[in-house]
Amino acid sequence: MVALIWVGTAQAQSQNTRFDPIFENREVSVFALDLPPDGHASIFQNTHDIFWIALAAAHVTVIDADGNKTAVAFAMGDTRFFPSFTTRSISNDAADSFRAVLVEIKLRGLASACDCDSGAQRSVCGCPRAAPLPPMWAVGIGQIVAGGTTLAPGESFRSIGERADTLLVAVSHLTLADDAQPSSSVTIELRAGNVLWLPAGPHKLRNLGATPARYVTLEF
């Protein structure tokens, strides 16, 4: 249906930590980060709105342009939005590596300031009293809809949905069928941290795997 786009590994940044570019188009640039314990990395994408998507639990510190520090606790699949110019670097405070995907929104004006009206908004926007994200959630931030999905083995969406252009980020290893496509043989196979661009149109994803399929989408 659509192929993954991979590009070469980026030049090492601070303390031998790499932001590896894995996908790019007109709307987004996507990077993978594997930050070791006590590691530190500069976020050169800070001039744009960004989303962090955690692939495993982690405790990190985000430092803004003025040197202010914000501690962030991620669970697997947690997604966090940072407006442009609010992040300068990130450090890993935990004993395990921080594995995450960073999505840079290239077009300005698509996102806007986060609201704190719902539990999912408080989590994604980093608001006080944030609760853990549920298995299914969606948050509108300006013209972007961020959402998290967990499909049990064999589970699918109930109906075909007409979707805008969508970036899908695999949080777990997954094998999906898109039952809205004319060919039933089309499958989507991604490892955790892989991404896929789904063009606008009808989609109905179904989990073909033997374990839950977890992913995060950013719909434009």
Side-chain angles (χ1 to χ4, degrees), residues 186-218:
V186 173
T187 60
I188 299 168
E189 296 189 25
L190 301 173
R191 298 185 64 81
N194 289 172
V195 304
L196 185 69
W197 187 259
L198 296 174
H203 297 286
K204 184 185 178 185
L205 299 181
R206 175 166 49 93
N207 182 10
L208 298 179
T211 58
R214 297 187 63 180
Y215 58 89
V216 169
T217 55
L218 299 177

Side-chain angles (χ1 to χ4, degrees), residues 35-190:
L35 189 63
D38 298 321
H40 177 274
S42 297
I43 302 173
F44 297 123
Q45 297 80 13
N46 68 342
T47 57
H48 293 263
D49 297 328
I50 60 174
F51 287 87
W52 282 104
I53 301 168
L55 303 179
H59 288 81
V60 301
T61 297
V62 176
I63 305 170
D64 68 16
D66 296 323
N68 300 312
K69 298 181 178 181
T70 302
V72 181
F74 284 103
M76 179 182 178
D78 276 359
T79 300
R80 187 75 174 265
F81 172 74
F82 288 92
S84 58
F85 297 103
T86 60
T87 55
R88 185 183 70 189
S89 61
I90 187 169
S91 60
N92 183 6
D93 306 321
D96 297 320
S97 293
F98 173 51
R99 295 187 60 240
V101 172
L102 184 150
V103 181
E104 171 193 351
I105 308 302
K106 295 171 70 173
L107 298 180
R108 300 188 185 277
L110 289 183
S112 62
C114 272
D115 296 320
C116 300
D117 298 331
S118 69
Q121 286 175 320
R122 288 194 293 272
S123 180
V124 173
C125 300
C127 306
R129 299 180 294 107
L133 286 167
M136 296 278 192
W137 59 269
V139 171
I141 301 176
Q143 300 178 47
I144 299 172
V145 177
T149 300
T150 301
L151 294 176
E155 185 180 10
S156 69
F157 286 94
R158 294 181 180 179
S159 60
I160 294 175
E162 191 71 27
R163 305 293 295 270
D165 290 336
T166 299
L167 177 74
L168 186 152
V169 181
V171 175
S172 67
H173 300 344
L174 51 81
T175 303
L176 303 173
D178 190 346
D179 292 334
Q181 301 306 308
S183 173
S184 60
S185 63
V186 173
T187 60
I188 299 168
E189 296 189 25
L190 301 173

